[in-house]
Amino acid sequence: MENAISQVTSGWRRLSSLLVQGGRPEIVPTEGGFVNAPVSRGSTVLFPSLAAMKAQGQRSHEHELIYGAMGTPVQHELERVIAQIEGGSHSQVVSSGLAACTLPLLAFLNTGDHLLLPDSVYGPTRRFADTMLARLGIETTYYPPLADAGTLEGLMRERTRVVFAESPGSHTFEVQDVPMLSRVAHAHGAILMLDNTWGIGIFRPFLHGVDISIQALTKYPAGHSDVIAGAVTVDDETLWRTLRDSAIQIGQLAGADECWLTLRGLRSMAVRLERQAESALVVAHWLRGRPEVARVLHPAFDECPGHAFWLRDFEGASSLFGVELRSDISVAAMQDMIDALAMFGIGASWGGYESLVLPTTGGVRRSIPGGMPEGPSFRLHIGLENPDDLIADLEGGLEVLRASSAG
Ligand SMILES: *Cc1c(COP(=O)(O)O)cnc(C)c1O
């Protein structure tokens, strides 16, 4: 267990100093002042002259203060630290994690282009592709998240401009072969976008060939279930100019309070995640030994699809994983179990300090047959509670499940 725990927590040790120091304009100030930058709300920026206003207006790609809709100082500080965590050159903070998915798709796809989405993709990203992108004349093909290079090659078209990945899938936890996806995309002149929300800090996208990395800052970075925000990060000047221009054209930003709260959350993200990852592993191990459970879809376990890619490419595991029950257990019995849990909240989202549960069966759609777990399944987010208490709660839930199955 010691080894297993260090394997799921190593990445955050590496990041902890960066999370404390990253993005801060002055660590040791020239004059006395607060540790944290103030919340900088504002719309109008005043300039000493028309010439100064014009000169500053030229600097819209430089995280500079121009007009409130183009970002505030606290948003720019958040952008600097997110870019550092992801290992990229520039980050654009946006209003939600979903906006972080839709903005780069709009920025880099044109009418007549073709998009490849993994069948495991976050539901609202799927809906966006199926509705708005389709309306704009952009066609989407869903690919199996664990498709090999040959299969993927076969799906690439002349007008395939974007290959999208989400690793692991946030409900079904297939870990994808991102370097391979990158090789195939680049060989066809396409770019690779990755929704890296699960892998924040433990999957370094630009070392694995990703062109555009997406984060729902709502999750672990904010960490307290009180913020909606997102970020898109690149490591290339040309991509940055297109992305930044698109963000300005659409009017994408996040409010100063959201940015400030996210920065506050980020400063303690390494310790939260170290603890949550460890607790998640403990709970996952316990569930794995239960007779009602067929598989625990935790990327650190070898029964998780794509586990070998996790071993090869990740520096840890976060605290969100799936559980597949035996296929002779009914969905209704699983629902009774979920309703009976006292410490796990029933609700969307994850990455906060508190534990959550959500059914996967009935809540997730697939285009390709056979991509879903066979038995009733649910997803757990492990928070900062004592894992012994969480296990006791799950034990009670499984008792309800057994009673429900018998009755
Ligand atoms: C939650 C989530 C999003 C969307 O984030 P919001 O801030 O809730 O819009 C995107 N991708 C993944 C993988 C998520 O889990």
Side-chain angles (χ1 to χ4, degrees):
M1 198 70 182
E2 283 289 295
N3 257 353
I5 287 171
S6 71
Q7 211 179 7
V8 299
T9 58
S10 60
W12 294 297
R13 280 287 157 98
R14 178 182 61 76
L15 263 188
S16 48
S17 302
L18 167 62
L19 288 175
V20 171
Q21 305 208 332
R24 282 164 59 188
E26 301 181 295
I27 309 284
V28 181
T30 43
E31 289 173 44
F34 287 127
V35 172
N36 296 304
V39 184
S40 45
R41 299 187 190 89
S43 53
T44 300
V45 177
L46 294 177
F47 297 95
S49 66
L50 281 173
M53 183 174 177
K54 189 169 176 214
Q56 188 71 343
Q58 307 294 313
R59 304 180 66 195
S60 62
H61 301 85
E62 296 172 36
H63 310 267
E64 288 284 338
L65 188 60
I66 295 170
Y67 174 59
M70 290 158 82
T72 50
V74 69
Q75 178 180 319
H76 297 145
E77 181 176 340
L78 179 59
E79 286 169 342
R80 286 193 294 273
V81 65
I82 297 296
Q84 286 177 303
I85 293 168
E86 294 268 69
S89 57
H90 290 285
S91 190
Q92 168 73 48
V93 162
V94 295
S95 59
S96 69
L98 180 56
C101 299
T102 60
L103 170 68
L105 289 171
L106 280 174
F108 291 96
L109 288 165
N110 293 305
T111 298
D113 285 350
H114 176 237
L115 162 69
L116 283 178
L117 280 186
D119 206 19
S120 49
V121 76
Y122 177 66
T125 306
R126 172 189 288 269
R127 271 198 298 285
F128 177 72
D130 292 349
T131 55
M132 291 196 76
L133 291 184
R135 182 162 58 71
L136 296 174
I138 295 158
E139 202 186 329
T140 300
T141 302
Y142 291 93
Y143 69 92
L146 289 169
D148 60 16
T151 308
L152 212 75
E153 287 280 353
L155 295 173
M156 297 295 292
R157 300 184 195 163
E158 172 101 29
R159 293 291 298 269
T160 308
R161 288 284 177 275
V162 173
V163 176
F164 197 97
E166 183 179 317
S167 179
S170 61
H171 280 275
T172 40
F173 299 94
E174 301 91 340
V175 185
Q176 297 196 262
D177 187 351
V178 171
M180 178 277 285
L181 295 173
S182 167
R183 281 193 298 277
V184 174
H186 291 166
H188 291 263
I191 56 173
L192 177 63
M193 297 183 187
L194 170 71
D195 185 333
N196 193 31
T197 300
W198 190 93
I200 181 125
I202 52 173
F203 183 86
R204 294 195 254 182
F206 304 106
L207 295 184
H208 299 285
V210 171
D211 298 294
I212 296 186
S213 184
I214 291 160
Q215 285 293 341
L217 301 179
T218 305
K219 310 294 165 56
Y220 294 115
H224 293 73
S225 307
D226 51 7
V227 170
I228 298 279
V232 190
T233 305
V234 294
D235 194 30
D236 174 277
E237 266 326 292
T238 309
L239 293 177
W240 169 244
R241 292 196 87 79
T242 303
L243 178 73
R244 176 64 181 149
D245 287 341
S246 304
I248 292 171
Q249 282 159 29
I250 292 174
Q252 262 300 346
L253 72 149
D257 294 278
E258 278 69 23
C259 293
W260 194 91
L261 283 168
T262 305
L263 271 170
R264 171 156 149 168
L266 266 178
R267 302 299 178 199
S268 64
M269 187 173 75
V271 283
R272 283 188 282 111
L273 270 167
E274 248 189 271
R275 172 63 66 85
Q276 286 176 248
E278 180 176 338
S279 297
L281 194 70
V282 168
V283 173
H285 258 288
W286 180 83
L287 280 163
R288 202 185 202 185
R290 296 291 313 202
E292 300 87 349
V293 172
R295 278 191 307 171
V296 177
L297 301 172
H298 186 301
F301 292 172
D302 55 12
E303 68 263 35
C304 186
H307 165 71
F309 303 129
W310 177 81
L311 263 185
R312 186 189 65 190
D313 299 336
F314 281 75
E315 296 166 62
S318 51
S319 74
L320 185 80
F321 63 92
V323 181
E324 178 184 357
L325 297 171
R326 268 191 353 242
S327 54
D328 60 316
I329 292 170
S330 70
V331 173
M334 175 183 77
Q335 288 167 345
D336 288 343
M337 178 204 80
I338 289 175
D339 279 337
L341 295 173
M343 295 196 70
F344 289 85
I346 299 172
S349 205
W350 48 281
Y353 59 86
E354 82 291 8
S355 290
L356 293 171
V357 59
L358 212 55
T360 308
T361 311
V364 177
R365 237 188 69 211
R366 281 301 162 84
S367 304
I368 304 166
M372 287 288 285
E374 272 176 40
S377 344
F378 57 98
R379 180 180 89 175
L380 292 180
H381 170 256
I382 302 300
L384 288 166
E385 303 89 342
N386 182 336
D388 295 341
D389 296 335
L390 296 174
I391 287 172
D393 195 27
L394 288 165
E395 176 112 60
L398 288 172
E399 248 166 63
V400 170
L401 181 146
R402 281 194 305 277
S404 175
S405 298

